[in-house]
């Protein structure tokens, strides 16, 4: 079975600073990896996904993530934080082709706080 | 295009009452998922359907929970009888085997 660990339930950065949200996964087969964002009182929205193509994946809102097999990591970064980035971020893993048939296994989430 | 539509958005009920949550997936999607989100346990997959057939319901907490998908455009999640510990946000999501799940805005359930 696959699993995801997100390090840090809360991360606080200053506006304009680098954002780094950590995600490590466990999977016995090559995984598909995802980052989702959740704004208050809303559903989850896909930021980006890795599906065995390029290891550096670019997503929406200036976010990107790098798949590192040797480290079993898929950390999310953004060079310069904006106040509107404040939200809950979830890392997720799937091992099925396209992830469709089995759904996704989510991490516990990281609450990103942006300090003015 | 309409996304995943869930109703009701908010439900407040008393312990012992029956609760029915509804979901309309995105047209053309063949997989539907029900998730529960709580502060303590995060996002948990309850059950998912593929082509209207339940594939895995191992995440359903207990017999008080049941889910149906009578056709490709509608699914329900029912709790009977409800208990305070069922209070959570329940999300429905759908996809077309592309990996990306499309989520509804959730149904926030409060059981008093």
């Amino acid at each position: 079975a696959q699993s995801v660990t997100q390090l840090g339930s809360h991360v606080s950065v200053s506006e304009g600073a680098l954002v780094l949200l950590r995600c490590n996964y466990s999977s016995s087969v090559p995984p598909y990896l995802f980052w989702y964002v959740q704004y208050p009182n809303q559903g989850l929205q896909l930021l980006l996904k890795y599906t065995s193509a390029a290891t550096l994946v670019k997503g929406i809102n200036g976010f990107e993530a790098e798949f590192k097999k040797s480290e079993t990591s898929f950390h999310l970064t953004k060079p310069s934080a904006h106040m509107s980035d404040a939200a809950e971020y979830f890392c997720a893993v799937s091992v099925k082709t396209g992830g469709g048939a089995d759904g996704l296994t989510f991490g516990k989430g990281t609450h990103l706080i942006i300090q003015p | 295009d309409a996304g995943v539509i869930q109703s009701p958005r908010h439900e407040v009920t008393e312990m012992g009452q029956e609760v029915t949550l509804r979901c309309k997936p995105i047209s053309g999607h063949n997989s539907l998922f029900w998730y529960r989100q709580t502060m303590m346990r995060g996002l948990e997959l309850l059950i998912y359907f593929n082509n209207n057939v339940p594939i895995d319901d191992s995440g359903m907490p207990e017999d008080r929970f049941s889910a149906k998908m009578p056709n490709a455009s509608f699914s329900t999640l029912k709790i009977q009888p409800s208990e305070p510990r069922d209070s959570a946000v329940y999300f429905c999501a759908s996809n077309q085997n592309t990996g990306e799940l499309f989520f509804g805005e959730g149904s926030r359930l409060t059981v008093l």
Side-chain angles (χ1 to χ4, degrees):
Chain A
Q2 64 270 23
S3 66
V4 170
T5 302
Q6 291 184 241
L7 300 177
S9 59
H10 291 77
V11 171
S12 180
V13 302
S14 298
E15 190 175 18
L18 171 71
V19 175
L20 171 59
L21 304 183
R22 300 177 186 274
C23 172
N24 288 90
Y25 68 91
S26 173
S27 173
S28 57
V29 298
Y32 294 85
L33 295 159
F34 307 80
W35 275 99
Y36 280 81
V37 61
Q38 184 181 29
Y39 298 103
N41 300 314
Q42 294 187 24
L44 279 73
Q45 177 185 0
L46 182 71
L47 272 179
L48 50 80
K49 62 181 178 183
Y50 166 77
T51 56
S52 76
T55 56
L56 182 63
V57 181
K58 294 186 183 298
I60 62 172
N61 301 337
F63 285 94
E64 62 182 36
E66 186 172 8
F67 172 70
K68 292 187 177 181
K69 182 178 179 180
S70 61
E71 299 177 8
T72 61
S73 69
F74 191 57
H75 301 331
L76 181 71
T77 60
K78 182 174 180 177
S80 177
H82 192 274
M83 295 299 291
S84 61
D85 295 328
E88 192 83 13
Y89 291 80
F90 293 91
C91 183
V93 64
S94 171
V95 297
K96 284 288 187 178
T97 301
D102 275 3
L104 304 179
T105 299
F106 285 88
K108 295 288 190 184
T110 298
H111 186 64
L112 178 62
I113 301 163
I114 309 298
Q115 304 280 5
Chain B
D1 287 342
V4 175
I5 299 172
Q6 292 186 245
S7 64
R9 289 294 313 278
H10 301 274
E11 175 91 6
V12 180
T13 190
E14 293 188 345
M15 182 174 62
Q17 297 297 306
E18 177 179 296
V19 173
T20 299
L21 307 177
R22 299 172 176 79
C23 175
K24 177 179 170 56
I26 293 173
S27 177
H29 284 189
N30 60 355
S31 293
L32 182 141
F33 306 80
W34 282 101
Y35 283 86
R36 178 172 67 176
Q37 184 179 37
T38 61
M39 289 290 291
M40 292 299 294
R41 301 173 69 92
L43 273 163
E44 303 171 278
L45 177 62
L46 300 178
I47 184 172
Y48 72 91
F49 297 82
N50 190 246
N51 294 322
N52 310 338
V53 176
I55 302 301
D56 184 357
D57 65 355
S58 61
M60 295 286 261
E62 48 197 273
D63 292 346
R64 297 184 297 105
F65 286 69
S66 63
K68 294 182 179 180
M69 191 166 186
N71 57 61
S73 60
F74 184 66
S75 177
T76 60
L77 178 67
K78 186 175 294 187
I79 308 172
Q80 166 64 19
S82 59
E83 297 182 3
R85 59 192 168 123
D86 301 330
S87 297
V89 181
Y90 292 82
F91 286 102
C92 177
S94 69
N95 78 356
Q96 198 176 16
N97 294 329
T98 60
E100 176 183 358
L101 287 185
F102 292 81
F103 282 81
E105 295 197 332
S107 294
R108 182 176 296 275
L109 173 64
T110 303
V111 183
L112 303 174

